[in-house]
Every structure is written in C-alpha cells, then in structure tokens.
Amino acid sequence: MKGPSAFGSDMGRFWRLTYALAVTDFKLKFFGSVLGYLWQLMRPLMLFGVLYVVFTQFLDVTGDAKYFPVALLLGIVVFQFFGEATGNSVRCIVNRENLVRKIEFPRLAVPAATVLTALFNFTLNLIPVVLFLLLAGGQPRWSWFAFPLLLALLAIFALGFGMLLSALFVRYRDVEPIWDVVLQVMFYGSPILYPLQTVIDKAGPKVASALICNPFAAILQEIRHTFIDPSHVSATAAIGGTARLLIPLGAIAVVFALGLWVFIREAPRIAEDL
Amino acid sequence: MTHECSTYYSADVERGFTHDDPEVAIEWPDDIALLVSQRDVDARALREIADELPLSAYPERADAGPSSAAAFYHSRMPDEHPAVVVDSLSKTFSIPHERVHTLKEKALHPFRRTEYDELRALREVSFAVEPGEFFGMVGRNGSGKSTLLKCVAGIYRADAGDIYVNGRMSTFIELGVGFNPDLAAYDNTMINATMLGLSTKEARRRFDQIIAFAELEEFVDLKLKNYSSGMMVRLAFSVMIQVDADILLIDEVLAVGDAAFQQKCFDEFARIRRQGTTVLLVTHDMGAVERFCDRGMLLERGRVVERGDPERLTSRYLELNFSQDARAAEAQQAGDVPEPVVAAEPDAPTEDEDPEAATRLGDRRAEVLECWFEDEHGHRAEAVHGGSRCTCAMRVRFNGSSENPIVSLSLANSIGDVVVGASNRRGPDLGSFEADSEAVVRVTFTNVLAPDRYWVTAGVAPDVNGLYWHDRRIRLTSVVVTGIGAEGLVDLPYELTTQRGATITSELGS
C-alpha cells in the first residue's frame, strides 16, 4: 500500500526538494528588499549593540575571557539560528498546507528545509562575527575545523525539535506559545549574555555543569572555546569530564529520535489532519 | 414490451476479470500483491521487478480461469502491465465531534475519549487502468472521487486495499503547486517542477520549452504577482505537461482559464493521449468525460456503481441524479450516513428538500419510468449531434388500464425556455392499454437545436384536455446537443444567396 510518508521512496528527491524549498525561502528573504542582507544583519547587530552596552558598561559580567564582545555576538547569532530553525518549524507544515494537501512528496522535506534556510541565514550572519573577531585581534586557528562539526550537531538538535514541533502543531495549536516560552528560557538559561566563567565564579561549578547539560549551551560553549579563544571554558571542562558530555549528546540523540519517530508516525495523516 | 436490461457489466468484466457482482474484485498474482503490500516499494522498482518476472510467475488458474488482472494482461499483452490497479481500496475519515485543539486540553483530560463520526469516503473500490488509457472518474459531490485520486496520488493513506502504480506518476490536483507570487517565473518553474518530480538538471534544461509553450518569453523576469491570472495558469500548465509522466492524475484543473486556454488544454490532452500517456481524470463534467475518456467509472457514496464507456457512465450518472431509486436510497441513507464532504464542487445539480414533489406530479395511474435519447443509429446517447436524426424516448407503465392516453415530451434549454414540445394531443390515438403493461414512446426528429444542454420533461395524461396528469416528470433527463454554435435557439437549415452589382436596391428582397 502506498501512501504519504516522511521520507518517500526516493532519497534523491527528498534532498532536491529540501534544497529547493530552502533556496526559495532564502531568495524570498533577500530579493524582496533592496537592503536585504543589511536587514538580515540588523537584528543580531542591534541586539548585540544594546546588550554590549548594558553588560559591559552598566553591569560588568564579562569576566576574564578574551574577546567577550565577539563571543556575545556569536552567542546571539548561534541562538538566532536555533530559534529561527525551531521557531519557524512550528508552523512550517501548516504554512505549506497548499503543498501538503495537493501533492505527494516526502513530508520531512518541509521541516528539513526550514532548518536549512536558517542555516543559510546563519552562514551570512557569521561573516560579521569573523570580521569582528579578526578586527579585535583574533587569529584563525586549527580548532576552527571543529566548528562545522559542532554546527552539524546543533542542526541535528534543531531538526529534532523541528520535526517534533511541526508534527505536533498540526494537531495542537498551543505548541507555538509553549515553544516561545521554552526558547526564552533557553536564551537566558544558556551562557549567551554572560560568560560561563562568571557562572563558575559566582554560583559554583555545579551550577555551570548543570547549565551545560543543556545541549544548546554545551554546543555554544564549545563553539566559543574552539572558535573565539581557548580562554573560554570548554564544555568538557565546565561539565566536569568527557564522560559527562554524554548527557548533552544523549539529549540531542533523544530529541532527534523522538522528533523523527513522531514525524514518521504522523506523516501519513498530516494531509488529512490539517 | 420487454424490460430494458438494467444490469451493466463493466468493461473489466467483459475483458475477463472474475466477478460475482458488479463490484469487480481483482485478484493479483501473489508476487505483486506481496511486494506492494509488504514493502512500500517505489513504483519504478516495482515495474523493474515485475518486468523481470517470467510469464510463469503469473500462473493461469485452472479453476478460476484468468482470474488475476496482471495474469490476464500478461496473457494478452506480455509486455504491458496495467498502468494503475486499485484493489478494494477503502478509506474512512474520522471526524471528531469535539476536537481537542491544544496540548493543554490533552494534558488536563488525558483519558477523555473523543467521539468520532466515521465517514466512509471509499468502500472497496477496485479498478484497473490500461497503459495509454484516458480514464475518467466521475461522481456527484461527495461521492469520494477526489479522495480516491488523493489516495492513488499518495496524499492520503488508504485504510485498506492495494494500489499498484506502474510508471512515473504526476498529480495535478491544482495547477502551480508551490508557486510563490514574490518570485520570478524561473524560480517558480524550478520549484514546481521539483515538486512534480523532475530533477534540477532536467528542470533547468526544459525551462526554455516551458516558457515557450506558455508564451511568456517577454515576462520571464517579472514576479509572479505581476502576472495576470491567465499568464499564471499558462505557466503552471506548461510545467505540468513538461514533466513527462507516464501517468497523470488530474483533478478538474480544466475548470480554470478562459475558453481559449481550455481549448489549448484540450489540444494538449489530445497530444498527451497520442503519446500514450495514461491519464486519470476526476471530474463531474460529463461533457469532458465524453470528449476525452476511453473508459471510466462512476462513484456514488464511495462505491463504484458503474464502469465502462462514457455513454454508459453518463446515462447512469443522470439516472443516479434524477431517478426515483437514487432518491429513495438517498433518503434512506441520509439518516445514518452523513454526506461525505470531499471537496466543494460548484455547479452540481441542486437538490431540493423533497425533490420528488418539485419535479413530479400526478396520480400515478400511469408512470413515466424513464426517458432517454437515441442517436441516429438507435443507440442510447447522452449527447446527440446537431443536424442528425435523433429520438427522444420514454417508457411508460400503466398501473391501471387506460384508453387513448396522451403522452407528451418537451425540451427546455439550459436557461429554461421550452424550445420544442411533442405530444399526441392532435393524434394519433394510442388505443387502449391494459393494467400492468408498459409502452415505449419514441419521438424522432431532425435535430435542429442549437448546441446546449436540454432538459426533458415527460408526461402521461388521461384522455382529457387540461391540467390533470397521471404522471408528469419535470427535467427528468437531459441531453447535450453538440455542434457549432448557432445564432439562435434553433439551427434551421437555410440557404444564403448573394446578388452582386453596383447598386442593388429593390431586387434584394425578391
């Protein structure tokens, strides 16, 4: 018996479609306005400007880590990727209703494309981060090669939530406000505005290691460690040993597996439930 | 008078499928059935596998004759598998009375059972479509035809039954799926073509052809929101025909566009058909079915009620719409089964609360049982050609004896004007009829009517003038008159002559 499914029968088509959908979204964003790219940068840069002033001039939480302003900007940009990928995923199936109800295609392409679009945007946002880092005196390092790996891990984490949320939203419309709250908590609960070192100093290493159990915080901290400067505490050190890294890694695996399971289970009926 | 045979066997049956009743059950060779039901195999892979199977893989069953669809095709056309086989497909929608919309409600009442209305959109639907065939799926509103198409297309998952698709399939439930108004033609073409299954490379290669067919060369860089609706439809249609599918599933796409564009679509359909593409068309436009389809089937309440050639479908369709049986069945079913809502379709026949009362009157001492048209060869027809001889016939049953009854037939055009009427008021006398006898009355005439749809009102009255009827059935059936448009209500044969000269004044009229 044939029927709609998450992947479809042709993986090639799944990838093509994901890519085509993502590129379309991306183009729409940038070709729609004259200053497309500038507007895209505006949001993280403005937020960065405000936070930078508040946290370095009024509240001194910067600690000893080098290049904290760049680390702050990087944190904002990485979180923006995660927030965009998951937040847009919530409504993605419903927004693409006209496709889902009118044509047979691998359903998973929709949330996957949403995450891919966010990834494209992130790549663009990364350019000022690298510029600022070099201007501030940072040097390209070998450890930069760990960055794509960490990013891939984050994308998998985001896709896991994307699948879960998009499938759930078809049935339950309060997923959206719930997820908004979760994202807020994650924003303040991760060492984005404040360096992790400050947490270790003021609240103790236990609190810091608890924070790092959150996969997003762990990935972000590791990105800072490898990308900005080694003076930023590595996730391994903060959580207290390599073995404990299995907690955030396991969380990523669980979220992804759960998302995939729910999505595959819901995929055949999505067109009817919309 | 003998009773006209009312049991139609589907074309499938005539071709050798087994049947016990008009619902034909198609048995598959076990190999294919297993392949399809157990593994969700790609249609292509399936075809490859099926092609590799030797003929012996389809054993002729001695006890049941050529009992499987595929075996039958193999015995007749060793290289050809049916393009689409649907085997006892069922689909039920569960419509909750009170839908839980939020996680909060779910969390607060985790064990509350929601009550569902079961809506059986498809019940044991089976049919087979040969390669290269133009197959129509018709039915009234809510008959399940769109659901069936969506199941075959893989948009809905069926609850039971098997679908076997042999070849690359494209679905057109709507033209221009995925079109975005903020993008130019190129991007929209790419995304639409990718959705329909072309690879990026193929899509890029065919872009010029697509634009050329749509005649949009000048507007390639224009955003779609600045296109006229006609341009948009043209683009969408060009993409569709460039996809090169072996099997096309089309759902009333032709309802859009102006007459000129529709003509282009029709021409393109003719071309697609010549190429040997299999087409499954869902429509409620019987005209389109007669024009294009080789064969088709009629769905009613999720069941196949008729299979076969378009004329047969049309007569059955009208029968379903207007016959007493259908009404009775409807009234009976209305109580327990809700009207399946599949897709809103405009211009379907409207139904009154009590249709009988509005369309039928009389004491029923004699009854008009049915009414139909015959073409010049005496075959029943739902469409007759302008200029040909044709017959309007009605079958009357006399419940009591009757002396010189009056029968009448009148034809009203689509805007309701009665164009022509015929009766034996001025003779001939019909003589006497015994109780429980039947008669067929035929009125044969040269068809001078302008192309249109005409509705027949048939009546039988006792031998008195006035307004008293045994039975009078208004708009009992209809017929489509085909031909080239006439200027008026009728297309009378005429001669047109001209007279030439420098000044011709008074002679002109003489």
Side-chain angles (χ1 to χ4, degrees), chain B residues 82-402:
Chain B
V84 177
V85 176
V86 170
D87 187 17
S88 40
L89 194 76
S90 295
K91 173 79 190 164
T92 304
F93 289 107
S94 305
I95 297 172
H97 284 305
E98 208 177 318
R99 188 159 180 188
V100 179
H101 273 298
T102 59
L103 276 173
K104 191 193 89 189
E105 285 171 45
K106 186 83 178 169
L108 286 177
H109 313 283
F111 303 111
R112 184 198 277 174
R113 284 251 162 249
T114 18
E115 283 177 31
Y116 290 100
D117 265 340
E118 296 265 296
L119 197 153
R120 301 190 64 190
L122 295 174
R123 307 176 200 205
E124 304 262 309
V125 172
S126 300
F127 63 96
V129 182
E130 287 174 48
E133 201 172 25
F134 213 114
F135 191 84
M137 299 196 269
V138 285
R140 301 192 298 160
N141 287 348
S143 58
K145 54 191 192 301
S146 293
T147 308
L148 175 60
L149 191 80
K150 284 188 171 182
C151 285
V152 176
I155 295 166
Y156 288 164
R157 168 160 287 181
D159 300 328
D162 294 300
I163 301 165
Y164 160 51
V165 176
N166 182 1
R168 174 148 128 181
M169 182 169 68
S170 273
T171 318
F172 303 99
I173 289 179
E174 199 176 82
L175 279 174
V177 168
F179 271 9
N180 194 306
D182 281 319
L183 291 173
Y186 179 80
D187 296 303
N188 274 307
T189 308
M190 287 302 139
I191 190 139
N192 192 220
T194 316
M195 297 288 329
L196 296 175
L198 278 191
S199 75
T200 322
K201 206 188 283 175
E202 281 176 304
R204 213 169 282 152
R205 199 157 43 81
R206 290 179 196 186
F207 178 69
D208 288 339
Q209 276 167 272
I210 290 171
I211 291 297
F213 182 82
E215 299 163 14
L216 289 170
E217 290 93 338
E218 295 167 54
F219 308 104
V220 170
D221 298 324
L222 207 60
K223 280 182 185 171
L224 223 60
K225 64 180 170 192
N226 299 326
Y227 272 31
S228 73
S229 53
M231 287 155 82
M232 195 120 67
V233 169
R234 253 147 58 202
L235 181 64
F237 193 78
S238 334
V239 179
M240 159 178 153
I241 59 161
Q242 286 292 334
V243 169
D244 277 352
D246 305 319
I247 301 159
L248 288 179
L249 303 180
I250 302 175
D251 189 0
E252 317 230 41
V253 223
L254 293 173
V256 294
D258 57 13
F261 178 74
Q262 287 201 351
Q263 190 52 50
K264 199 168 174 178
C265 294
F266 290 150
D267 294 346
E268 203 49 42
F269 271 2
R271 190 187 65 82
I272 287 171
R273 197 174 161 176
R274 281 196 298 278
Q275 278 181 352
T277 309
T278 312
V279 180
L280 275 74
L281 177 73
V282 162
T283 182
H284 61 256
D285 177 8
M286 296 310 293
V289 173
E290 285 179 4
R291 216 164 147 184
F292 300 112
C293 295
D294 303 311
R295 220 158 53 84
M297 65 175 185
L298 180 61
L299 286 169
E300 176 68 11
R301 294 188 175 277
R303 284 201 183 88
V304 182
V305 290
E306 188 64 69
R307 263 171 283 230
D309 51 40
E311 291 81 46
R312 179 174 287 176
L313 293 182
T314 321
S315 61
R316 190 66 200 273
Y317 180 71
L318 293 166
E319 200 177 299
L320 268 181
N321 268 331
F322 299 104
S323 75
Q324 197 179 357
D325 295 352
R327 296 246 148 94
E330 207 157 278
Q332 183 206 336
Q333 286 210 347
D336 47 17
V337 187
E339 182 73 24
V341 216
V342 179
E345 285 156 9
D347 53 71
T350 49
E351 286 162 49
D352 301 324
E353 289 288 306
D354 182 9
E356 280 285 281
T359 60
R360 195 165 188 182
L361 45 100
D363 63 5
R364 308 281 165 85
R365 288 183 56 188
E367 284 180 71
V368 176
L369 295 176
E370 61 172 338
C371 186
W372 68 93
F373 270 81
E374 288 172 3
D375 62 16
E376 52 204 319
H377 310 295
H379 302 309
R380 282 197 184 204
E382 137 66 14
V384 289
H385 201 71
S388 66
R389 293 286 288 177
C390 69
T391 300
C392 182
M394 66 194 249
R395 188 155 61 88
V396 184
R397 175 172 183 81
F398 294 95
N399 294 325
S401 60
S402 180

Side-chain angles (χ1 to χ4, degrees), chain A residues 237-268:
Chain A
I239 204 167
T242 319
R244 287 205 191 164
L245 271 185
L246 287 176
I247 298 171
L249 284 176
I252 294 175
V254 167
V255 166
F256 186 80
L258 181 70
L260 193 62
W261 179 70
V262 169
F263 198 91
I264 286 175
R265 216 180 60 123
E266 294 288 319

Side-chain angles (χ1 to χ4, degrees), chain A residues 1-5 9-10 13 16-17 19-25 27-28 31-32 96 98-105 107 168-175 178 267-269 271-274, chain B residues 36-37 40-42 91-93 99-104 106 150 152-163 165 171 173-174 177-178 180 182-183 187 191 194-200 223:
Chain A
M1 194 190 314
K2 274 166 57 77
S5 63
S9 46
D10 178 0
R13 182 162 178 238
R16 272 202 306 278
L17 209 54
Y19 184 73
L21 288 174
V23 166
T24 312
D25 271 358
K27 275 189 182 166
L28 274 176
F31 292 73
R96 298 229 184 246
N98 64 331
L99 291 187
V100 174
R101 287 172 69 105
K102 296 290 157 60
I103 203 159
E104 178 272 331
F105 68 96
R107 306 305 194 204
L168 284 181
F169 186 70
V170 172
R171 283 168 178 265
Y172 306 110
R173 298 299 159 109
D174 59 345
V175 167
I178 293 174
R269 304 197 75 89
E272 298 159 41
D273 288 336
L274 269 175
Chain B
V36 179
S37 57
D40 197 354
V41 283
D42 177 25
K91 173 79 190 164
T92 304
F93 289 107
R99 188 159 180 188
V100 179
H101 273 298
T102 59
L103 276 173
K104 191 193 89 189
K106 186 83 178 169
K150 284 188 171 182
V152 176
I155 295 166
Y156 288 164
R157 168 160 287 181
D159 300 328
D162 294 300
I163 301 165
V165 176
T171 318
I173 289 179
E174 199 176 82
V177 168
N180 194 306
D182 281 319
L183 291 173
D187 296 303
I191 190 139
T194 316
M195 297 288 329
L196 296 175
L198 278 191
S199 75
T200 322
K223 280 182 185 171

